[in-house]
Amino acid sequence: MEIEKDFDRLNIDINCIYYNTSMNIKAVLLIFLFTLWIFLPIFSDPLLDRTSDLDGMVTQIIFIKDTIVKSHIFPQWNPYINQGIPVSADPLHAAFHPLVLPVFMLFSPDSAVKILYFLSVFFGGIGMYVLLHRLKVFPILSGFAAATYISSGYMISHLVAGHFEKILSFAFLPWFITYLYQVYKKPRTSYEVLTACCMTFILYSGDLYNALYSCIFVVVAGCIRCLLYTSRCV
């Protein structure tokens, strides 16, 4: 009888794992298709031909790309871009983002911007789904919430306005909250490292506001954790 019960429990666990995996794969596919649908008009839109805040950021990255290709050095300073601030002295410069410069090196500026936009929005949607999944939200509601996050007016307005750094940081914001929640619930070194990595990506995207809010979240979560630990000890 005990052996049969163990087999029944094993079958239930396998079925749960299969169900969760199947739902997660479907959610990722649906978020990908939804992101693709959002970007259909953007793919054909000449983003760099329109006047927006995107011009200032892309001009600097194109200058860095051309200098690396032609002179084989990383440029330190150009008095005509970025208000004359040296590139290496600006920690919020998008060129230091691990994904930005490699994509610009491989593709044309217009294609690079669209690829980074698409990947950021898609990755942000997956992050929102994972966050709500960790919070035990029903999968269908998590999917709807993820779709709402990547298609909200706030997100689309930043896309249209050319706020390059905002889109890059929005991709990692849900992941940061997810891992910070995991650190709060069950501290592990891996979760702490992933939280720090997400904060680093947000910082190097150039979005100072989200980086500041992330630091505030960490301080608040740490204070609450310390207070709870102290109350238990007392």
Side-chain angles (χ1 to χ4, degrees):
M1 292 295 293
E2 292 295 331
I3 296 177
E4 291 179 358
K5 290 181 180 179
D6 291 338
F7 272 112
D8 290 338
R9 291 172 184 169
L10 180 61
N11 288 330
I12 292 173
D13 291 339
I14 293 174
N15 289 333
C16 290
I17 294 172
Y18 175 78
Y19 174 77
N20 290 331
T21 304
S22 177
M23 288 295 295
N24 292 337
I25 293 174
K26 291 177 181 177
V28 170
L29 181 59
L30 289 174
I31 293 172
F32 175 81
L33 294 175
F34 187 74
T35 307
L36 192 62
W37 178 71
I38 293 174
F39 272 80
L40 284 178
I42 298 177
F43 286 144
S44 59
D45 183 55
L47 293 176
L48 299 182
D49 293 341
R50 291 189 290 103
T51 303
S52 68
D53 293 342
L54 191 61
D55 296 340
M57 180 63 68
V58 173
T59 301
Q60 301 173 42
I61 299 175
I62 292 175
F63 164 70
I64 295 172
K65 173 185 176 179
D66 291 342
T67 306
I68 293 174
V69 172
K70 295 176 182 178
S71 304
H72 308 293
I73 60 172
F74 189 88
Q76 297 297 316
W77 179 67
N78 186 321
Y80 299 104
I81 63 173
N82 201 27
Q83 294 83 43
I85 300 175
V87 176
S88 57
D90 185 6
L92 299 179
H93 202 289
F96 295 118
H97 194 283
L99 299 178
V100 172
L101 194 56
V103 175
F104 270 87
M105 294 293 291
L106 295 173
F107 300 96
S108 66
D110 187 71
S111 298
V113 169
K114 292 175 181 178
I115 290 171
L116 289 169
Y117 272 179
F118 180 85
L119 292 177
S120 297
V121 173
F122 172 65
F123 194 64
I126 299 299
M128 181 58 68
Y129 177 82
V130 172
L131 171 61
L132 296 175
H133 183 70
R134 293 291 176 91
L135 295 175
K136 309 299 182 183
V137 178
F138 193 67
I140 295 178
L141 294 178
S142 299
F144 274 113
T148 302
Y149 176 72
I150 63 178
S151 63
S152 63
Y154 191 71
M155 179 80 78
I156 300 302
S157 64
H158 283 299
L159 277 170
V160 175
H163 295 165
F164 190 63
E165 69 283 356
K166 291 287 186 182
I167 304 303
L168 292 177
S169 69
F170 286 156
F172 293 94
L173 196 57
W175 293 99
F176 164 74
I177 298 173
T178 299
Y179 292 122
L180 182 62
Y181 174 75
Q182 292 296 122
V183 171
Y184 176 79
K185 295 292 290 184
K186 193 174 183 180
R188 287 182 182 176
T189 303
S190 58
Y191 293 146
E192 294 170 359
V193 170
L194 290 171
T195 303
C197 288
C198 291
M199 287 186 67
T200 303
F201 275 105
I202 292 173
L203 178 64
Y204 281 125
S205 68
D207 188 358
L208 182 60
Y209 296 104
N210 278 341
L212 178 61
Y213 298 150
S214 300
C215 294
I216 294 173
F217 271 124
V218 170
V219 172
V220 171
C223 291
I224 294 174
R225 182 78 184 180
C226 289
L227 289 173
L228 292 176
Y229 180 77
T230 304
S231 63
R232 290 174 185 174
C233 292
V234 174

